Amino acid sequence: MTEQKLFENTEVAFRLKSDSELERAYFLFKMISNEPLVRIGTAATNFALKAHLPVEGLIRATVFDHFCGGVNEDDCLPVIDKMYSAGVSSVLDYSVEGKAIESHFDEAAQKIIKLVHFSEEKDAMPIVVFKPTGLGRFYLFQKKGEGKPFTQDEQLEWDRVVQRYHDICSLAKQKDVEVLIDGEESWMQDAADVLAEDMMREYNTDVPIVYNTLQTYRHDRLEYLKASHERAKQGNYKLGYKIVRGAYMEKERERAKEKGYPSPICKDKATTDANFNDCLTYILHHLNDISIFIGTHNELSTYISMELMQQLNIDKTDNRVWFGQLYGMSDHISFNLAEQGYNVAKYLPFGPVKDVMPYLIRRAEENTSVAGQTSRELSLLKAERKRRKSN
């Protein structure tokens, strides 16, 4: 099979799906491809959950089970083991959003610590992940990044955020589990970047344990990457970066317009794609200093990565290069890459159904706004249904 045809192999892509799971996936992407339907469905779901209507079972049997691993870690085990049987690892992602009090931040930190222990026990889970605002208030990150002085109480609160980071990263180093720190909105990201680099300075002395995220729809990220590389060389530590295109585009542009500053987002998709591929190329050329988690659903960027690895004699199994996609999406990329022997992991969201709904709603909305993503999923699912019927 030529490389350019690699992702067309639907038999490998959907090998783990039963006929009924394949039908469910087809039905879901058909729904998601209809933008008005997504808007109505989102509103109806939010209403039903707020009104405590008995819809959790329906959500669980459809959208939740397609995009999530389960309601807790143990619930995810069958999915983790099943994917690992096809060579795909799992990054358990506790996807509960919008909690903003200290007890919730402590709880979230304990959850990540538990996941580090959990990961140590399972080869199928070499990586954990958390969001900066899962461990501290958005406002604190924003204020810190803007260089505004904290009140005494805020300083104590920030010290607790830093301590939570240390608790997770030091344990991860001890257990040899990698930690991905997600990216968020640009106006809180400066403080999150500094904190992530502090963790790398401390815990990435031998091998990268801590990975920060570069959202490459921001036009300044290649420049930032090069500057952070210089700092790491000076400080004699390794860098780890997850690279993605980005998740808050509409919000970023609206805020820039409203506040009257230039948008931090690339002017169009082609520029974003070029920026992503430039960051990717830079890292693969400096793999002795920087490890990479390539978070993409883009086939061309994946082919570029594979080609570069070949040119630079980077082994497919080199632990410094991972590919990642979201669970429930782009199986044609994940499972075909794994079949070829590359390091592949799926982000596997989990949490109580009602708490994970904001995440799931964002997923559905993103799918409708990414041109071509849903139609590509649908055409592959259609091809696999046809293939199975003809066998």
Side-chain angles (χ1 to χ4, degrees):
M1 186 187 302
T2 66
E3 203 172 76
Q4 293 301 319
K5 288 283 180 194
L6 178 65
F7 301 140
E8 301 296 326
N9 189 334
T10 61
E11 186 179 355
V12 169
F14 302 116
R15 187 186 285 155
L16 299 184
K17 284 197 185 333
S18 66
D19 289 349
S20 63
E21 285 168 338
L22 192 73
E23 289 304 319
R24 181 183 66 192
Y26 182 73
F27 167 76
L28 278 174
F29 280 108
K30 203 114 174 97
M31 295 285 129
I32 288 169
S33 67
N34 186 323
E35 207 173 324
L37 205 58
V38 169
R39 280 203 302 273
I40 294 161
T42 296
T45 304
N46 278 329
F47 171 76
L49 287 168
K50 280 179 184 139
H52 303 290
L53 298 176
V55 291
E56 280 198 22
L58 176 65
I59 293 166
R60 173 91 216 235
T62 52
V63 66
F64 184 92
D65 277 354
H66 181 80
F67 289 111
C68 299
V71 294
N72 56 43
E73 309 88 307
D74 293 324
D75 203 19
C76 294
L77 284 171
V79 177
I80 293 167
D81 291 338
K82 196 174 176 185
M83 286 203 293
Y84 198 56
S85 72
V88 174
S89 297
S90 296
V91 180
L92 274 191
D93 181 11
Y94 184 54
S95 298
V96 173
E97 300 186 357
K99 310 276 190 182
I101 56 174
E102 286 296 285
S103 62
H104 282 137
F105 297 138
D106 285 335
E107 246 171 67
Q110 285 312 308
K111 177 66 80 179
I112 311 303
I113 283 167
K114 190 177 172 188
L115 287 178
V116 173
H117 286 292
F118 201 62
S119 295
E120 188 204 8
E121 306 289 307
K122 282 196 84 64
D123 291 342
M125 291 173 47
I127 305 164
V128 297
V129 61
F130 68 84
K131 272 174 76 118
T133 54
L135 302 186
R137 279 193 303 142
F138 188 101
Y139 171 75
L140 273 190
F141 280 94
Q142 184 180 345
K143 195 171 179 181
K144 180 80 175 167
E146 288 168 352
K148 293 176 180 168
F150 281 155
T151 64
Q152 203 175 345
D153 284 349
E154 284 170 346
Q155 185 58 54
L156 290 170
E157 199 183 331
W158 180 253
D159 292 344
R160 287 194 294 274
V161 175
V162 175
Q163 190 56 54
R164 289 179 194 116
Y165 267 67
H166 277 297
D167 290 346
I168 292 164
C169 296
S170 63
L171 180 70
K173 184 177 172 78
Q174 195 187 317
K175 304 291 186 189
D176 197 25
V177 172
E178 289 162 10
V179 179
L180 304 178
I181 303 172
D182 277 343
E184 299 193 54
E185 290 90 341
S186 61
W187 57 100
M188 65 71 68
Q189 192 62 45
D190 286 351
D193 286 342
V194 171
L195 192 46
E197 276 193 44
D198 286 347
M199 297 298 126
M200 290 189 206
R201 195 174 292 111
E202 177 114 1
Y203 302 108
N204 289 6
T205 45
D206 313 315
V207 292
I209 289 293
V210 181
Y211 286 63
N212 196 13
T213 297
L214 295 173
Q215 301 198 88
T216 61
Y217 66 177
R218 282 183 57 177
H219 50 68
D220 64 351
R221 291 295 86 179
L222 181 60
E223 197 185 322
Y224 168 75
L225 167 62
K226 289 177 177 175
S228 73
H229 186 198
E230 282 309 310
R231 288 190 289 273
K233 283 194 287 194
Q234 297 293 319
N236 203 23
Y237 58 92
K238 307 280 188 193
L239 292 173
Y241 278 114
K242 176 178 74 152
I243 62 167
V244 296
R245 277 167 170 77
Y248 306 95
M249 188 168 67
E250 275 80 17
K251 205 192 273 190
E252 290 281 1
R253 285 188 174 142
E254 273 164 29
R255 187 177 191 269
K257 198 173 165 188
E258 190 188 304
K259 303 258 183 200
Y261 60 83
S263 169
I265 304 300
C266 292
K267 66 178 194 304
D268 53 28
K269 187 175 184 307
T271 314
T272 299
D273 289 342
N275 199 30
F276 182 95
N277 295 334
D278 287 347
C279 288
L280 168 75
T281 304
Y282 183 86
I283 295 174
L284 288 176
H285 275 92
H286 295 94
L287 205 58
N288 286 332
D289 299 333
I290 317 171
S291 292
I292 188 170
F293 185 98
I294 305 161
T296 187
H297 293 226
N298 184 290
E299 292 171 34
L300 185 59
S301 290
T302 309
Y303 282 132
I304 289 169
S305 310
M306 293 158 75
E307 217 163 275
L308 273 168
M309 286 176 75
Q310 209 172 352
Q311 284 168 16
L312 298 166
N313 289 319
I314 300 164
D315 194 87
K316 290 175 180 180
T317 61
D318 192 319
N319 195 58
R320 297 171 299 177
V321 183
W322 278 79
F323 291 87
Q325 290 77 40
L326 296 163
Y327 182 68
M329 288 167 66
S330 299
D331 286 348
H332 64 297
I333 296 179
S334 311
F335 290 99
N336 280 304
L337 276 176
E339 177 85 352
Q340 296 296 312
Y342 291 92
N343 296 321
V344 185
K346 285 279 203 188
Y347 253 58
L348 189 60
F350 74 99
V353 176
K354 64 178 187 309
D355 291 338
V356 174
M357 279 320 291
Y359 166 86
L360 287 172
I361 285 164
R362 207 171 72 236
R363 268 293 75 79
E365 287 169 347
E366 274 173 24
N367 263 293
T368 49
S369 67
V370 177
Q373 174 74 45
T374 305
S375 59
R376 179 68 171 140
E377 297 275 0
L378 270 172
S379 73
L380 290 158
L381 288 161
K382 217 180 265 181
E384 177 59 9
R385 287 164 91 220
K386 192 177 170 186
R387 190 195 68 80
R388 289 189 188 186
K389 277 172 188 155
S390 66
N391 280 354

